[in-house]
Structure formats: C-alpha cells, structure tokens
Amino acid sequence: MSYEERTGNPFRDSEYIRLKSFLSEQGLDYDESIEHSIMLEDQGRIIATGSCHGNVIKCVAVSPDYQGQNLLGTIMTHLVAWMFGKGITHYFGFTKPQNKDIFCSMGMYPVAETENVLLLENKRNGLKKYLSQLEKETKKCQETGRENVNGAGIGAVVANCNPFTGGHRYLIEKAAGECRWLHLFILSEEQKFLSTDERMQLVKEGVKDIPNIILHGTSDYLISPAVFPTYFIKDKVHAFTMNCMLDIEIFSKFIAGRLGITKRYVGSEPSCAVTGEYNVCLKRELPARGIDVYEIERKQEAGRPVSASVVRRCYEEGRLDDVRGMVPKTTLDYLKRKSCIVTVAQMAKAREERAARQRKLIEKWKVPVICFMLNIPGAVKTSEDYLWAFREGRKKILNKIQRHGIRALETESIYPVTGYEFYVAADGTADRLKRLMTDMEDSSRLGRLFDVDVIGTDGRKISRSDYGMPARKCILCDQEAHICSRSRNHTVEELLRYIADVIEEARRAD
C-alpha cells in the first residue's frame, strides 16, 4: 500500500486542525502537550497517526477502514526512532485496557491496569528493576541513617519540590517524627523551573539532618497528577479520578507492598484544585488497601500558605528577598546563585538592548557615547567584587574625561544579570574619547578588566586599529586577547582566579 508520511513538531495551523478532527472521529482528544506527531495519509486523507510527549507515546489511532495493514507498526517505528534520536530508550504508553493486545504486539508490556486505564512500557521488567532499586536504596539508607524508635510504622511522602520550600520541610519533618522510617519520593519528571537533579539535590541538603528519611526518585512509575493523560477517556468528568486510580494501584500494590509502607502523608491544598482532588482520591482509596492517609495542614508564612509557585514567581520577578521565610537557607542560597547564571539567550538580548540604549543617547545629544562593562568570562557576570570594580571603573571614566575638559551630558548605570553597564553621552570627539579610554584600560592591572567602547555619532564602534593603536593583550599572556579567546588558551577558572586576585589587590590599595 502506498501512503504519504507527514511529521510535525508539533503540527500547527491547518494541519493541527485536521489532526484534531481525525482524532475526534476515532473517539480521542488531541493532547496539547504533544511535542512530535506523525500522520499517514492516503490521497490527502489522514488514515493513521501517533504522537509523543517526552517519553510517553500518545494519541495513537488508525482509521477503521485501514486497520490490519500494519499502519500501527509504521507509526510506532517512527515514534521510537524519534525518541531514540532524543536519547530516550525507555518509553511508556497510556491507553484503554481493551487495546492491550494491539500495543503488546508492538513490543510493549503492561505495567499496571485498572478498569479504565492501562499503562505499558517497552521494557519487560522495568517496574521489577525499579522496585529492586528502591530496596537497595532503602537498605543503604537504613545502614547509614537512624530509625526513629519513637515512631510507628513506615511512612511515605511523594512531592514535586520545585523548589524545596519550608512547607515541604514542615510536612516531611512532621511525617518523619511519627514514623520509624519515612520514604521520601521526589517526582522524576523534568520540570520547567528546576531540573530533576537540581530538585533532588535541594531536598538532600534540606533534610540531611533528619536521620530516618529514605530518599528516592519516582522514576516513571509514580505519576504527577498534573500530567495524567485524559485524551482517550470520553467521560471527562471522571477522567482525573480514573487516572488517580492507576497511580494508587501502582503505589499500593507494588511500591508500598514491597517497602512495607502503611502510612501516606500529604499536605493540605487550599489553592490547587488538581492536587486537592488527588488528595481526596488518596484518602478515599488507600485506607481500604491497608495504607492510612494523613493530611497535614499547610505551613503558613505571614498568614499565607507557603507555596512553591509563589517562590517561582518571586524568582522570575527578581524578588528573592521576599521568599526568605518561605524556603530553607540552602534553597535560598541556591536560587540566588542560579539567578546570577547567564544564558546565551540573555546575553544576546542584552547586546540588542545595549545597542538600542546607545542609539537613543546618540539621537538625543548628537555626541559620541561611552559604554563601559567589565571583561568577565563564564556564566556569572555579577558579584560584590565585580560591582566594586565596576564602580571604580565608572569613577575613573568620569574623572578622566573631566580632567580633559569633556562634559558628561548624560550618564546612566544599569545592573542586569548579564553584567553591569555604564553609559556616558560625552561632549567630545570620538577619536579623543577613544584615546583617553584606551589609555585608562592600559594604565593598570584593574584597567585591563575594563571593556570601554566608544560609539561615534554614526553608530559605529570605534576600534583601536582605526588609530593605529595595538590590539588589547590577554590578561594572562602577551598574546592578543581575541586570539587567546578564540583558541581558548586559558580555562575560565584560570581567568577568574586572576580577575579575583586583581580586584583583591586593587581593593587593598584603595
């Protein structure tokens, strides 16, 4: 049979509408989280499709008129190849239980099943291996930790911790105080704010003083309620509950059974309806399976529940001081360090904004503009030492031009995470300003850290070579700076150590 393959990452516009319509005809909804899709077409008509989101295969359908022609095999082969290209070798699928034989024929194996939902994976013993891993982690922690002899039973907490807050700490500490051992599961699904590794590290640091905690990742077997799939369930009113039942089945039958867990602790959820409904499901279903559920009132700060989403919002808005009472010191220190790490995209945007600021000053005053920053390699451009050096450079620039009778018509200092910036609209000629700034850059070790550009009234950056001046030298050797930078003759660590020594020397002499 001849058919056309079309792929999208994901599909947009008219193709997106066509795919949604086809899925609807097959009794499925389009899942908006899809990252990649394939469609098979026969003379412009969609006859089969399948999609991926991370390591989950979803929205797989074949038109009834074309079933029995191995189109599903073609779809699965493509999706698996696409995931392999992304480095994904362990993948999953959610579907209706009546589709079990079809997916099993494609090399997938059932993990857990309820009346309405079936979870499959491509590894025959994936869950078994995960349970063995949990047992090994438990044994290791019990050998190095200390049992709470005043506690009763084995407890569990499953948390996202994006990031780890004082609310998480409060819940975990209370649960650990009531149990002999507490299994703490951190969701392994990658998040937009902090990676799995970052979240796990913050939790480790935040609970290291609680000796009866056994820390685990959830792998892919404990499912976040925020990503429960519902595209194949017609009864949307009860779809969430149906997926909760799958999560409860995996936790109670396999994980709790293997680890001897008899208690599950959750935090109260006053603001998130999804998590609140999940807690309701847990309290309704787990006790009948021998697991008591304890809902702990959410910790409050200044009369408001501590919330990871509030912490994330404060971080994004640059208000980390506002979360001081909401997170442990280890989390706050990490977020402050993280807020100083500059991305390539941020640097590119900063260059555009600098150019716009320079143009604005030139258009306003019709004079050249001096733009000053520090030469700092690496991803961290701001610190207390760098700020001191920046202020020293700013002072030297103003003193230099004033001593030579040049007026500063307007100055502006800004302090972005991409590096401090100082602008001067200077009432002097561009060539004179360039010579003065070059002399300042070359006159001291501290000056070697200064990056002072002069932009002429035509918007062109004035170069040393325009006036026959030698190119800048590397701060560590006699090579030209641009040659060392391009060939990476020195590591970032070597350069930063030198810069720290230069600034320390200058501060002592000040």
Side-chain angles (χ1 to χ4, degrees):
M1 177 183 174
S2 176
Y3 48 78
E4 181 181 0
E5 291 187 12
R6 298 170 66 85
T7 60
N9 294 311
F11 286 115
R12 305 287 186 189
D13 304 324
S14 61
E15 300 296 337
Y16 163 78
I17 294 172
R18 292 179 62 228
L19 179 54
K20 283 187 70 173
S21 177
F22 174 75
L23 288 171
S24 178
E25 292 171 3
Q26 314 311 315
L28 303 177
D29 289 334
Y30 182 85
D31 190 315
E32 298 295 341
S33 67
I34 283 171
E35 295 177 289
H36 177 79
S37 296
I38 177 174
M39 295 190 304
L40 304 183
E41 294 185 352
D42 181 14
Q43 297 181 353
R45 175 191 174 192
I46 301 175
I47 58 175
T49 185
S51 300
C52 292
H53 172 219
N55 68 337
V56 178
I57 294 173
K58 54 182 59 176
C59 295
V60 176
V62 178
S63 170
D65 296 339
Y66 290 82
Q67 291 179 3
Q69 301 182 36
N70 198 33
L71 298 185
L72 182 58
T74 301
I75 293 290
M76 292 293 289
T77 298
H78 172 86
L79 295 178
V80 170
W82 185 84
M83 286 189 288
F84 272 39
K86 297 286 186 180
I88 298 169
T89 58
H90 188 195
Y91 51 89
F92 293 79
F94 294 86
T95 188
K96 305 171 187 176
Q98 54 264 41
N99 293 334
K100 179 190 291 187
D101 291 344
I102 298 174
F103 279 84
C104 288
S105 69
M106 295 294 107
M108 299 194 75
Y109 303 92
V111 175
E113 180 179 349
T114 66
E115 182 182 352
N116 300 287
V117 184
L118 171 67
L119 172 64
L120 306 101
E121 63 179 328
N122 70 313
K123 293 187 177 181
R124 183 188 297 273
N125 297 313
L127 179 56
K128 184 178 179 180
K129 291 179 180 177
Y130 174 63
L131 295 175
S132 296
Q133 175 189 325
L134 294 181
E135 289 181 322
K136 290 178 183 177
E137 291 169 348
T138 299
K139 182 179 179 181
K140 181 178 179 181
C141 287
Q142 288 179 337
E143 289 173 349
T144 58
R146 188 174 69 252
E147 180 181 5
N148 176 16
V149 296
N150 297 317
I154 308 296
V157 169
V158 182
N160 194 358
C161 297
N162 191 24
F164 181 68
T165 68
H168 295 120
R169 166 75 192 201
Y170 176 76
L171 169 65
I172 293 164
E173 191 170 10
K174 185 167 181 60
E178 297 180 0
C179 301
R180 290 191 293 113
W181 293 99
L182 179 70
H183 291 274
L184 176 55
F185 295 89
I186 305 303
L187 289 175
S188 298
E189 182 192 359
E190 289 294 347
Q191 308 287 313
K192 288 185 178 180
F193 182 56
L194 297 180
S195 70
T196 301
D197 289 342
E198 287 176 304
R199 289 183 289 115
M200 185 65 81
Q201 185 59 38
L202 288 179
V203 173
K204 284 181 181 178
E205 293 175 358
V207 302
K208 63 184 178 182
D209 60 317
I210 306 176
N212 63 326
I213 285 180
I214 303 169
L215 188 59
H216 310 285
T218 61
S219 187
D220 295 283
Y221 298 103
L222 286 175
I223 309 157
S224 167
V227 296
F228 282 148
T230 61
Y231 62 89
F232 57 88
I233 301 174
K234 290 183 179 180
D235 184 1
K236 298 302 179 188
V237 174
H238 300 104
F240 181 80
T241 300
M242 294 176 188
N243 279 304
C244 285
M245 292 302 299
L246 178 66
D247 187 56
I248 288 169
E249 175 76 5
I250 295 172
F251 177 77
S252 61
K253 183 176 179 180
F254 299 104
I255 295 173
R258 183 68 69 94
L259 300 177
I261 294 169
T262 57
K263 297 179 177 181
R264 176 84 177 255
Y265 289 82
V266 299
S268 64
E269 186 47 72
S271 57
C272 178
V274 171
T275 305
E277 179 61 25
Y278 182 57
N279 287 350
V280 170
C281 289
L282 292 177
K283 288 187 289 185
R284 184 181 63 240
E285 299 294 336
L286 284 181
R289 300 165 186 247
I291 303 169
D292 294 325
V293 179
Y294 299 87
E295 186 169 21
I296 307 302
E297 192 67 27
R298 179 80 71 93
K299 182 183 179 182
Q300 298 206 347
E301 174 69 23
R304 297 176 58 191
V306 174
S307 168
S309 62
V310 172
V311 175
R312 292 194 297 271
R313 185 163 63 249
C314 288
Y315 174 91
E316 291 163 0
E317 295 172 358
R319 298 187 291 111
L320 277 178
D321 285 341
D322 292 353
V323 308
R324 192 175 298 276
M326 300 183 198
V327 298
K329 184 178 184 299
T330 49
T331 297
L332 182 61
D333 289 346
Y334 180 80
L335 293 180
K336 284 185 173 181
R337 291 195 302 271
K338 183 180 176 69
S339 69
C340 294
I341 297 175
V342 181
T343 66
V344 173
Q346 286 175 308
M347 292 298 291
K349 184 179 179 183
R351 281 194 295 272
E352 294 175 1
E353 291 175 347
R354 268 199 306 278
R357 207 169 266 110
Q358 293 161 5
R359 287 194 300 270
K360 185 177 179 180
L361 285 170
I362 291 171
E363 290 170 2
K364 179 179 180 180
W365 293 103
K366 306 296 189 289
V367 297
V369 167
I370 298 169
C371 177
F372 161 58
M373 296 182 68
L374 296 175
N375 277 315
I376 306 294
V380 177
K381 307 292 185 183
T382 58
S383 74
E384 191 216 341
D385 278 348
Y386 298 163
L387 181 58
W388 181 89
F390 171 75
R391 287 170 173 164
E392 283 295 297
R394 182 175 62 185
K395 183 167 61 178
K396 290 178 183 295
I397 289 170
L398 292 175
N399 288 342
K400 190 84 169 177
I401 63 175
Q402 287 168 5
R403 283 201 308 271
H404 288 81
I406 299 172
R407 291 184 301 149
L409 302 178
E410 182 176 339
T411 65
E412 181 182 12
S413 298
I414 65 172
Y415 305 87
V417 70
T418 49
Y420 312 121
E421 302 173 11
F422 177 55
Y423 299 86
V424 186
D427 189 15
T429 62
D431 62 336
R432 190 181 183 201
L433 289 170
K434 184 62 181 177
R435 292 178 189 278
L436 290 174
M437 295 303 102
T438 299
D439 178 66
M440 186 189 71
E441 289 176 334
D442 295 342
S443 64
S444 68
R445 292 182 77 207
L446 184 63
R448 300 279 296 280
L449 307 184
F450 298 162
D451 183 10
V452 190
D453 289 332
V454 175
I455 297 89
T457 53
D458 60 355
R460 187 177 68 88
K461 184 168 72 173
I462 309 302
S463 168
R464 287 177 175 231
S465 62
D466 291 341
Y467 302 101
M469 292 183 281
R472 295 197 76 170
K473 300 292 185 182
C474 167
I475 61 176
L476 290 182
C477 67
D478 290 331
Q479 284 265 31
E480 292 184 6
H482 70 92
I483 294 177
C484 270
S485 176
R486 188 168 58 243
S487 59
R488 298 183 179 180
N489 287 345
H490 313 292
T491 66
V492 171
E493 289 74 19
E494 289 173 326
L495 292 166
L496 291 178
R497 279 197 298 270
Y498 177 83
I499 290 169
D501 289 343
V502 169
I503 295 176
E504 182 181 1
E505 176 187 273
R507 295 190 77 160
R508 284 200 306 265
D510 185 37

